[in-house]
């Protein structure tokens, strides 16, 4: 399973993770993006900025923009977050081993 790197100057990482657990890749419901292993980093700074570094299951994901917009919007809505940025990366590339056991079970991979 993928471990999220957390650098949290504001103490908001738990709330950020909580809202990220409400974001889904429509092609892989019912597993959320955290359980899928798509979130690599949660970074907050003292000025209230939050950065989420994430990936997608495939570089050509047709709903990439929608997922990233939803992440940005939900993180920005957290009290104490003044600015939310979503950074997309494909390094390292996503693979099924990054999923939580729960996600694998929900999606029938176990």
């Amino acid at each position: 399973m993928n471990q999220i790197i957390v650098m949290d100057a504001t103490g908001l990482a738990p709330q950020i993770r909580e809202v990220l657990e409400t974001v889904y890749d429509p092609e892989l419901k019912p597993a959320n993006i955290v359980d899928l292993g798509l979130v690599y980093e949660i970074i907050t700074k003292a000025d209230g900025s939050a950065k989420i570094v994430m990936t997608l299951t495939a570089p050509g994901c047709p709903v990439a923009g929608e997922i990233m917009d939803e992440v940005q919007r939900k993180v920005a809505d957290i009290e104490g977050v003044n600015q939310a940025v979503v950074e997309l990366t494909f390094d390292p590339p996503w693979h099924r081993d990054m999923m939580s056991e729960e996600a694998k079970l929900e999606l029938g991979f176990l």
Side-chain angles (χ1 to χ4, degrees):
M1 187 172 104
N2 184 32
Q3 293 289 56
I4 298 173
I5 296 169
V6 177
M7 292 178 273
D8 189 15
T10 62
L12 294 172
Q15 293 97 307
I16 293 171
R17 182 183 174 110
E18 196 172 301
V19 300
L20 294 177
E21 290 174 346
T22 69
V23 178
Y24 298 88
D25 180 328
E27 297 177 339
L28 293 172
K29 265 189 162 177
N32 65 63
I33 63 171
V34 173
D35 287 340
L36 287 171
L38 299 179
V39 178
Y40 290 171
E41 298 179 25
I42 298 172
I43 302 164
T44 67
K45 295 187 178 172
D47 65 1
S49 62
K51 179 173 155 184
I52 309 305
V53 179
M54 64 176 290
T55 194
L56 302 167
T57 55
C61 179
V63 291
E66 295 168 37
I67 293 171
M68 292 175 63
D69 287 348
E70 184 178 357
V71 168
Q72 192 278 330
R73 188 175 62 253
K74 287 185 171 184
V75 172
D77 285 347
I78 295 171
E79 188 174 333
V81 173
N82 298 324
Q83 177 187 16
V85 175
V86 181
E87 181 179 306
L88 189 61
T89 184
F90 292 100
D91 183 29
W94 180 86
H95 53 85
R96 287 185 182 175
D97 292 342
M98 299 167 115
M99 296 168 53
S100 69
E101 294 298 310
E102 182 179 302
K104 289 177 185 175
L105 187 63
E106 286 175 336
L107 296 171
F109 295 140
L110 284 180

